[in-house]
Amino acid sequence: MRARFMVILSTALILGGCATVRESRINPFNWFGGATQEGTTAIPVSRQMADPRPLVDLVVEMGVDRAPGGAIVQATGRPSRQGFWNAELVRDRATPGETGVLVYDFRLAPPKGSTRVGTEPSRELTAGTFLTDQDLDGVRAIVVRGAQNQQRVSR
């Protein structure tokens, strides 16, 4: 009877300690929250010339997934028509603003000729980038910008 009581008591204490892990930074589900959609700000022409590829029209989805040694930032965008290619998340280091915020532009190459508009799912492109733990040191939020909107993920 005494051994059974000790097992029940120790199990209750161990499970009670799990409540603090749920809210801590070591819990991977608590690492970055869900993405929120925001309005976008205009990008100066001088920075647009550095990379001539246009921004994706709409950032549909964004997420940050933990990986060994860092995290993977992944975004899905929807251009105005089919045929866009070479999607890439390009870090914008010249953006003034909040400290602890990484800003990425979702850029893609336009098609060579005229193409159909097509359905929304057929136009979607996904791009991603890897950030090391050193890159993420001190980062509170990650933003992915498109032409019409931007998505933000915060810790």
Side-chain angles (χ1 to χ4, degrees), residues 31-53:
W31 206 49
F32 275 99
T36 58
Q37 186 166 323
E38 303 174 343
T40 187
T41 56
I43 300 171
V45 175
S46 61
R47 276 193 273 148
Q48 288 179 0
M49 293 303 156
D51 189 346
R53 296 177 295 174

Side-chain angles (χ1 to χ4, degrees), residues 43-72:
I43 300 171
V45 175
S46 61
R47 276 193 273 148
Q48 288 179 0
M49 293 303 156
D51 189 346
R53 296 177 295 174
L55 291 172
V56 70
D57 280 353
L58 191 66
V59 178
V60 178
E61 185 179 3
M62 179 204 171
V64 178
D65 298 320
R66 192 160 188 153
I72 298 171

Side-chain angles (χ1 to χ4, degrees), residues 100-131:
V101 177
L102 295 179
V103 178
Y104 285 90
D105 291 337
F106 194 130
R107 299 215 173 254
L108 32 74
K112 300 291 183 205
S114 63
T115 58
R116 299 172 11 143
V117 172
T119 62
E120 289 181 353
S122 70
R123 296 187 318 237
E124 289 182 356
L125 295 166
T126 301
T129 189
F130 179 77
L131 298 172

